Amino acid sequence: MLRRLSPQPSPSSIDTSPNIWAILAIAVGTQTAGSFVSQGVYILVPFWREAFRISLASASLAVTVMNGVQIVTMFTLGRAIDLYGERRIVGLAMIGMAIAMACAATIADSFVALLICMACLGGTYAAVQPGGTRAVMRWFPPSHRGIATGFRQAAVPFGTMIAAALLPLLAIHYGWQAATWLGAAVSMLGAILFFGLYREGSEFTSSKSAPLRLLSLARIVGQDPQFWPVLRLGIAMSAFQFTFTAHMIGFIADGLKLGLIAASSLFAATQFAGIPGRILLPWLSDRLWPGLRARSFGAVSLIAAASAVLLAVLPVGSSTITIAAILLVLGFFGIGWFPLYLLQIAESAPKSSIASTIAFASTICLAVMAAGPYLFGLLADYFGYGVAWAVLLLPVIITSLPLIAGSRSALSSHQS
């Protein structure tokens, strides 16, 4: 058992203190477990489509419902984390995730019952992101937040990669119920890790400030001139990434005619490429363009959109090597963008409302993420993948260009 962590270290001792790296290891492990379970829902969509004999759009409702309920619970859980601490709220939430997945495996004999379980899963998973981000923001100084957030957010594609490698094989050989049982076990392991090893530190126990209410919080964070432009691009990129996660296996298998196993393997490789992307992109941005993280976010988003365009226009029969090369670039930038966005949002937050601010921004993103996979599936069913890709990528391009132009103007003013 890890020893009880001492109070938050001072910046002078930050390089030698083992406490912050223990905190980071716990946060990474917990996020990996949460990602395995939640992103596993996206990966299981094709199997639910086949099992319940429904359309792609209908099967995607599992993702829509999961994300939709997060919209309802996210801000409330963020405030609860600011009030009671991340250890208690995140630990209990992951237990709730395990229960939801276990119920899906045992009692979901209809698609409606499965949707109810996914609603419970989404309502509890909503605590993981603001809780983990709050831990990093409170334990790490600004000079270390980029690399710390990068490592923690790398756990999302890492968990998704593991899920993409294991869940389809498990579902094919033993049924989708076996895959959901594995999700329940992984979520319970995450709860044990966070409850058993994580400690709040002295800042939480000494803090008396109550988190801000929603309207006051929106007014205060909105005073940062980059908050809303960054949030708009974050919304577009969230819709892109999560729709990509929900439909990429199906697109590669059906649209490019590679088959389900090959598509799952390529998807896992894409998630693997996102791991170094989430670590290296914020690290490079903070060292090459300090103070201009928004410009980096815009540039990374444009590269991701360009890679997706290349993938969308590939003809049937394209070589596996070509598809894999595009997917690796898409994974590096299309998944690696998130720490840049998350840090920009979190650093706009008052200290008493870090989790609330992350939850506020995430709630807005989730409103688009919840509808994205369903709308993409609907467009693909009726108009083909070309129209669906165009509708998904245009918002990314439109919102990233002003962010890059604004950041360049700020850089020119600073240098003059």
Side-chain angles (χ1 to χ4, degrees):
M1 177 70 70
L2 181 71
R3 64 182 176 84
R4 184 179 181 87
L5 298 174
S6 59
Q8 189 176 19
S10 65
S12 62
S13 63
I14 201 75
D15 291 327
T16 58
S17 172
N19 288 350
I20 59 168
W21 307 116
I23 287 292
L24 183 59
I26 295 167
V28 167
T30 304
Q31 183 63 68
T32 300
S35 175
F36 181 95
V37 178
S38 64
Q39 301 302 296
V41 173
Y42 292 80
I43 293 165
L44 290 172
V45 163
F47 298 96
W48 289 332
R49 178 189 183 186
E50 180 179 351
F52 295 104
R53 299 183 183 277
I54 53 180
S55 68
L56 178 61
S58 296
S60 299
L61 282 174
V63 175
T64 301
V65 168
M66 180 183 70
N67 288 330
V69 176
Q70 287 188 70
I71 297 172
V72 178
T73 61
M74 176 74 76
F75 187 73
T76 300
L77 287 173
R79 279 182 56 85
I81 290 167
D82 284 326
L83 282 169
Y84 304 111
E86 53 266 29
R87 178 174 179 262
R88 183 183 305 175
I89 302 302
V90 173
L92 290 173
M94 295 206 71
I95 293 175
M97 291 173 62
I99 294 173
M101 292 299 283
C103 289
T106 55
I107 66 175
D109 54 354
S110 69
F111 190 63
V112 173
L114 180 69
L115 291 180
I116 294 173
C117 294
M118 293 303 99
C120 296
L121 177 66
T124 49
Y125 178 67
V128 175
Q129 184 65 265
T133 303
R134 183 177 186 261
V136 170
M137 291 295 294
R138 292 197 302 108
W139 279 89
F140 284 80
S143 61
H144 285 65
R145 285 175 187 164
I147 192 68
T149 302
F151 271 109
R152 180 183 171 272
Q153 290 304 317
V156 177
F158 183 61
T160 307
M161 179 192 69
I162 299 173
L166 295 181
L167 294 181
L169 291 175
L170 201 62
I172 288 171
H173 293 290
Y174 301 102
W176 64 264
Q177 292 90 346
T180 57
W181 269 119
L182 180 59
V186 169
S187 183
M188 186 58 69
L189 287 175
I192 293 171
L193 174 67
F194 209 72
F195 261 135
L197 300 183
Y198 182 77
R199 297 295 181 267
E200 301 287 352
S202 61
E203 184 180 341
F204 171 72
T205 57
S206 62
S207 176
K208 301 296 182 183
S209 300
L212 296 171
R213 295 188 179 277
L214 179 59
L215 293 179
S216 298
L217 180 64
R219 184 177 65 252
I220 290 175
V221 297
Q223 294 174 2
D224 184 337
Q226 289 188 327
F227 179 81
W228 293 111
V230 167
L231 180 59
R232 283 192 289 268
L233 180 54
I235 292 170
M237 284 298 293
S238 295
F240 165 69
Q241 182 187 332
F242 282 83
T243 303
F244 162 81
T245 302
H247 290 285
M248 187 50 56
I249 291 178
F251 174 73
I252 296 172
D254 300 331
L256 298 180
K257 307 299 183 183
L258 287 188
L260 195 57
I261 296 297
S264 298
S265 299
L266 286 172
F267 181 75
T270 306
Q271 297 299 315
F272 181 80
I275 296 173
R278 290 203 165 185
I279 296 170
L280 293 176
L281 289 175
W283 181 80
L284 289 172
S285 176
D286 285 350
R287 277 148 183 79
L288 298 179
W289 305 290
L292 295 174
R293 195 178 292 125
R295 183 181 70 169
S296 302
F297 179 29
V300 165
S301 299
L302 275 181
I303 295 172
S307 302
V309 169
L310 288 176
L311 184 69
V313 300
L314 281 179
V316 176
S318 297
S319 69
T320 303
I321 294 176
T322 300
I323 297 172
I326 295 174
L327 286 174
L328 289 176
V329 175
L330 183 56
F332 187 86
F333 292 97
I335 297 173
W337 66 275
F338 192 68
L340 294 167
Y341 163 74
L342 192 63
L343 276 175
Q344 194 72 29
I345 294 295
E347 290 177 349
S348 302
K351 288 186 177 181
S352 65
S353 303
I354 293 174
S356 299
T357 302
I358 296 299
F360 166 64
S362 298
T363 298
I364 300 175
C365 291
L366 281 167
V368 178
M369 287 161 49
Y374 176 74
L375 292 176
F376 186 94
L378 200 63
L379 290 170
D381 285 340
Y382 284 94
F383 302 105
Y385 277 111
V387 172
W389 277 112
V391 172
L392 183 65
L393 292 173
L394 279 176
V396 175
I397 298 171
I398 292 171
T399 54
S400 61
L401 290 174
L403 201 61
I404 295 173
S407 295
R408 285 176 176 172
S409 299
L411 177 61
S412 298
S413 300
H414 176 74
Q415 290 176 337
S416 63

